[in-house]
Amino acid sequence: MAVYPYKGKSPQIPSSVLIADYSTITGDVIIGENSSIWFNCSIRGDVAPTIIGEKVNIQDNSVLHQSPGNPLIIEDEVTVGHQVILHSCVIRKKALIGMGSIILDNAEIGEGAFIGAGSLVPQGKIIPPNTVAFGRPAKVIREVNEKDRAEMIRISREYVEKGQYYQAMQKNK
């Protein structure tokens, strides 16, 4: 892992956060307790702030960045799948962003929403809470059901547990 300051701003990362090998975090980045940043992620806070809540998992090969004056905000208990690009958007708590998705400037993903794998949420698009959206561009296809919600909770919980496991391994090296 590499953590760099940028123009007087340094990432704020609690000791409970897993930063997996080959990830890079720069500048004005704040990460909440018990979150996990997985292998090969890039989180840059060199244009505007990136704020990541508690118990968030940012999975392998994801890229987080911003446009000038437009922060990236990820609330608590969010799952960000493998190879996701998040750019100056807002992801509300307990949402899931499927692998390979792209969420662009000023888009907002509602609380508990589920973005299907490979989706593109264009600039300014608002995905309502507790809905499933999919496609390029993403369109709401239905409400989140109990099976979806259970899967989202399972993934979030397991990533907190995995993060703690890998954290312990790193400390024992």
Side-chain angles (χ1 to χ4, degrees):
M1 95 169 142
V3 177
Y4 300 110
Y6 182 77
K7 293 190 176 181
K9 300 275 187 174
S10 293
Q12 297 175 39
I13 306 168
S15 62
S16 65
V17 172
L18 169 71
I19 308 296
D21 291 343
Y22 310 110
S23 289
T24 302
I25 302 171
T26 66
D28 194 359
V29 175
I30 299 170
I31 303 175
E33 296 284 345
N34 296 305
S35 289
S36 54
I37 312 302
W38 293 87
F39 304 96
N40 299 307
C41 289
S42 175
I43 303 174
R44 291 175 43 207
D46 54 3
V47 174
T50 292
I51 301 165
I52 299 170
E54 295 183 3
K55 297 181 180 177
V56 171
N57 64 88
I58 309 294
Q59 295 175 20
D60 314 63
N61 300 309
S62 290
V63 176
L64 282 58
H65 200 236
Q66 334 72 33
S67 293
N70 198 359
L72 168 59
I73 299 169
I74 304 170
E75 294 183 347
D76 298 342
E77 298 181 56
V78 167
T79 291
V80 176
H82 311 292
Q83 292 186 316
V84 166
I85 298 172
L86 300 179
H87 205 275
S88 285
C89 55
V90 176
I91 313 296
R92 298 291 179 200
K93 66 183 181 177
K94 298 185 179 186
L96 183 145
I97 311 301
M99 58 187 158
S101 293
I102 300 171
I103 317 294
L104 295 175
D105 292 34
N106 300 312
E108 182 174 324
I109 308 304
E111 181 176 334
F114 188 126
I115 305 300
S119 294
L120 169 65
V121 179
Q123 291 184 340
K125 176 85 173 180
I126 296 174
I127 303 298
N130 301 306
T131 58
V132 176
F134 181 75
R136 286 185 174 251
K139 292 182 175 44
V140 173
I141 58 172
R142 62 178 171 81
E143 296 290 315
V144 169
N145 60 38
E146 288 308 311
K147 184 178 176 185
D148 298 328
R149 193 171 322 286
E151 183 67 358
M152 293 163 73
I153 291 167
R154 179 196 65 78
I155 293 167
S156 179
R157 182 185 63 245
E158 285 184 7
Y159 268 93
V160 169
E161 291 168 3
K162 286 177 190 172
Q164 292 169 347
Y165 176 84
Y166 279 87
Q167 251 316 45
M169 284 182 39
Q170 284 181 344
K171 289 178 182 174
N172 292 329
K173 280 186 179 178

